[in-house]
């Protein structure tokens, strides 16, 4: 099977391991001239934004967007899915990844998804017809997994294509 499209979901939790993640993506994408789809999921419930999602523009702010901006984005989304892609393209960690891909001469695109992150990324994988997913994560205790769940675990178990997992140090 030829790898033509690699989906790379990314968020601020990946910032510390960004070089390992991009190196892995390059190992997968370069040999077949695959396109890398750099993705970021934005939850579809406003109350989760302020407490769980780091700032899209960088810095240590408590949320991606202000509540009114977030509501506007969700209102626009059904009519303009490109609005989400544009917001995600401004994400500092996404920009770090795309800068490295550009330097390496690898084709890429940025895609945003709104909804439950696991479901949104799985749907995006289907939409872009991903041949491979590259995900990252850190070690977590069994209690952490049981209480908070794991996006990486969801993607590993439910993706319809092969998944490469990049573990943090």
């Amino acid at each position: 099977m030829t790898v033509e499209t690699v989906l790379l979901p990314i968020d601020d939790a990946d910032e510390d391991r960004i070089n390992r993640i991009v190196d892995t993506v390059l190992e997968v994408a370069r040999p077949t001239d695959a396109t890398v789809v750099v993705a970021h999921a934005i939850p579809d419930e406003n109350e989760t934004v302020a407490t769980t999602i780091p700032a899209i523009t960088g810095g240590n702010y408590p949320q991606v967007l202000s509540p009114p901006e977030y509501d506007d984005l969700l209102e626009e989304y059904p009519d303009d899915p490109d609005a989400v892609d544009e917001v995600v393209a401004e994400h500092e960690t996404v920009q770090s990844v795309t800068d490295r891909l550009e330097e390496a001469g690898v084709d890429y695109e940025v895609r945003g998804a709104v909804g439950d992150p696991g479901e949104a990324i799985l749907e995006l994988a289907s939409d872009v017809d991903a041949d491979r997913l590259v995900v990252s994560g850190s070690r977590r205790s069994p209690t952490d997994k049981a209480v908070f769940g794991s996006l990486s675990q969801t993607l590993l178990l439910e993706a319809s294509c092969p998944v490469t997992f990049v573990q943090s140090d």
Side-chain angles (χ1 to χ4, degrees), residues 2 6-7 40-41 63 77 80 89 95 99 104 141 145:
T2 302
V6 178
L7 180 61
H40 180 76
Q63 57 198 20
Y77 177 69
D80 186 9
Q95 287 181 348
D99 288 348
S141 73
K145 290 178 190 172

Side-chain angles (χ1 to χ4, degrees), residues 12-13 15 53-64 90-93 95:
D12 283 354
E15 188 174 11
I53 303 298
I56 229 165
T57 57
N60 293 318
Y61 304 103
Q63 57 198 20
V64 175
E90 296 300 317
H91 190 288
E92 187 174 322
T93 307
Q95 287 181 348

Side-chain angles (χ1 to χ4, degrees), residues 44-168:
D44 59 358
E45 295 184 15
N46 193 357
E47 60 270 8
T48 61
V49 173
T51 58
T52 63
I53 303 298
I56 229 165
T57 57
N60 293 318
Y61 304 103
Q63 57 198 20
V64 175
L65 305 167
S66 70
E69 290 172 320
Y70 183 80
D71 291 339
D72 289 348
L73 176 64
L74 292 181
E75 275 183 31
E76 272 182 61
Y77 177 69
D79 298 326
D80 186 9
D82 292 337
V84 178
D85 296 344
E86 291 169 16
V87 169
V88 167
E90 296 300 317
H91 190 288
E92 187 174 322
T93 307
V94 169
Q95 287 181 348
S96 295
V97 171
T98 58
D99 288 348
R100 285 272 320 272
L101 294 173
E102 202 165 298
E103 287 172 16
V106 172
D107 290 336
Y108 69 88
E109 61 183 78
V110 176
R111 295 285 300 270
V114 174
D116 171 77
E119 292 173 16
I121 295 299
L122 290 169
E123 185 176 325
L124 184 57
S126 177
D127 290 350
V128 301
D129 198 22
D131 300 302
R132 175 76 58 97
L133 240 64
V134 176
V135 299
S136 70
S138 58
R139 292 185 188 267
R140 297 177 54 198
S141 73
T143 304
D144 284 344
K145 290 178 190 172
V147 173
F148 299 110
S150 167
L151 176 58
S152 297
Q153 182 174 328
T154 298
L155 297 177
L156 282 164
L157 295 174
E158 296 184 27
S160 60
C161 63
V163 179
T164 300
F165 181 77
V166 179
Q167 186 173 333
S168 64

